[in-house]
Amino acid sequence: MKMKMDYMWLVWMMGIISVANGAIPKSVMRDIKRINNEGSYFGIVVPNSFEMNPLLQSSSFLVDANLPSLDFAGRRFRVGSIKEKKVIIVMTGLSMLNAGITTQLLLSLFNIKGVLHFGIAGNANPQLEIGDVTIPQYWAHTGLWVWQRYGQGPDDELPLEVNGDYTRTVGYLKFSNYTNGTADDKFSDNLLNNVWYQPEEIFPKNGQPEERQHAFWVSVDPYYFSLAKELETMKLNGCVNATTCLPRPPKVTRVQRGASAGVFVDNAAYREFLYTKFNITPIDMESAAVALICLQQNTPFIAFRALSDLAGGGSAVSNEADIFSPLAAQNSVDVLIQFITLVN
């Protein structure tokens, strides 16, 4: 009943906006209403067309015959079903900003009962290999920093820390720990000093407006994560063609943590730091944004990220990203589809 009332309120408000300034055309409003009248959907959020196309081309995805898609605000929301479960698929585009905006649009416009996110990712975990599909329990945005001035250290208060804006509780990266040694094997401090990782400010939809909370590690939905254990017995494809295969068959595995930031990580030292400091496995540019929006909107969420390369190199497989990214993308789609068969 509450969901129905929330939806009716949304339609009423959008109608007012449409009349007031034409921001939402009446034809779009009608289509949104038609879609939502069909009931609730799983929202499927994917970063780019390279990752989305294998899903759209899958025989498991059936396009809605009456209203196959809705275009709004530069996004195309594709309506259909997968294994008899109603879905709305949307591509975000690259980066945390695009992923956050798109996920918020999805949840604001449509009757979404859960968000499923998938794609490829870099790998920080030396125990796993290319082609493996990871399902983290927690996600963090590791691109929100306080960059400390030279000469200060862990015992020095950060700017605005006393006001609760910033904190030293999460941890920091000291650049001089990664300085190359001089000829006599001596190390010196680095003018870049330290960057301190910061939690995001969040404003839950059921909370007091403008009363901030903080979140660094965002949990996926506990029920979804528990259900995902059944995926660990899946058999995944390990070959691009008859002559190009991975060293071992890829697997599905639940892991503790994943990280996202507006940075493409192709650096071994930073990859190793993220793994040893935070126990992070997949590294991408979108998942944490989707997780943070779902947290604020109180919507169940889970992400499936297939490892396409060892971030920063070092893999026994040469040119791994160029060769195996299509395979990794397909594996993430296969896991997503199998999860949909399990979830209610």
Side-chain angles (χ1 to χ4, degrees), residues 67-310:
L67 211 167
S69 65
L70 182 143
D71 295 345
F72 181 73
R75 271 72 178 177
R76 174 160 292 173
F77 298 90
R78 303 171 189 269
V79 185
S81 64
I82 296 175
K83 300 295 185 180
E84 301 183 351
K85 309 285 178 65
K86 292 193 292 293
V87 299
I88 296 177
I89 303 170
V90 61
M91 188 185 80
T92 68
L94 185 72
S95 84
M96 292 282 290
L97 178 62
N98 275 324
I101 290 172
T102 305
T103 305
Q104 184 62 68
L105 279 171
L106 174 72
L107 298 182
S108 296
L109 296 175
F110 302 104
N111 184 359
I112 301 298
K113 61 182 177 181
V115 171
L116 315 178
H117 179 57
F118 76 95
I120 64 175
N123 176 29
N125 187 340
Q127 307 303 316
L128 297 179
E129 297 185 10
I130 292 170
D132 292 345
V133 178
T134 61
I135 309 171
Q137 185 176 10
Y138 299 96
W139 284 93
H141 175 204
T142 51
L144 187 57
W145 294 351
V146 168
W147 207 314
Q148 201 170 27
R149 69 177 61 183
Y150 180 70
Q152 293 189 344
D155 295 329
D156 294 297
E157 188 175 276
L158 301 177
L160 304 179
E161 182 178 348
V162 68
N163 297 331
D165 290 347
Y166 303 113
T167 179
R168 284 172 288 161
T169 60
V170 176
Y172 67 99
L173 166 64
K174 185 176 180 64
F175 284 98
S176 62
N177 289 345
Y178 298 90
T179 302
N180 291 324
T182 60
D184 57 359
D185 291 328
K186 290 184 178 179
F187 295 84
S188 60
D189 205 355
N190 189 305
L191 291 174
L192 292 175
N193 201 23
N194 308 319
V195 290
W196 290 84
Y197 291 85
Q198 299 299 313
E200 287 275 4
E201 289 186 352
I202 62 168
F203 299 88
K205 71 173 187 178
N206 296 326
Q208 181 68 29
E210 299 183 353
E211 187 173 296
R212 66 182 177 178
Q213 299 178 23
H214 290 92
F216 187 73
W217 295 113
V218 179
S219 174
V220 303
D221 182 73
Y223 165 66
Y224 286 1
F225 189 70
S226 175
L227 198 62
K229 183 172 179 58
E230 298 186 34
L231 303 173
E232 294 183 328
T233 59
M234 283 185 66
K235 303 296 184 183
L236 299 176
N237 184 24
C239 296
V240 176
N241 51 47
T243 59
T244 306
C245 294
L246 293 166
R248 67 154 173 80
K251 62 183 180 180
V252 182
T253 181
R254 298 187 305 170
V255 297
Q256 186 180 26
R257 293 170 174 173
S260 310
V263 179
F264 185 94
V265 177
D266 192 31
N267 182 277
Y270 190 58
R271 174 196 76 211
E272 292 168 3
F273 167 81
L274 289 175
Y275 179 70
T276 56
K277 178 71 176 180
F278 297 121
N279 194 27
I280 284 167
T281 296
I283 308 169
D284 66 39
M285 301 175 73
E286 296 86 19
S287 296
V290 181
L292 283 160
I293 295 298
C294 289
L295 173 64
Q296 296 187 83
Q297 297 302 312
N298 195 27
T299 301
F301 157 82
I302 196 168
F304 313 98
R305 284 286 185 159
L307 307 178
S308 62
D309 62 281
L310 187 62

Side-chain angles (χ1 to χ4, degrees), residues 49-69:
S49 58
F50 171 80
E51 295 154 312
M52 180 174 64
N53 286 339
L55 177 59
L56 300 182
Q57 295 163 5
S58 169
S59 60
S60 297
F61 174 59
L62 301 178
V63 178
D64 187 282
N66 296 320
L67 211 167
S69 65

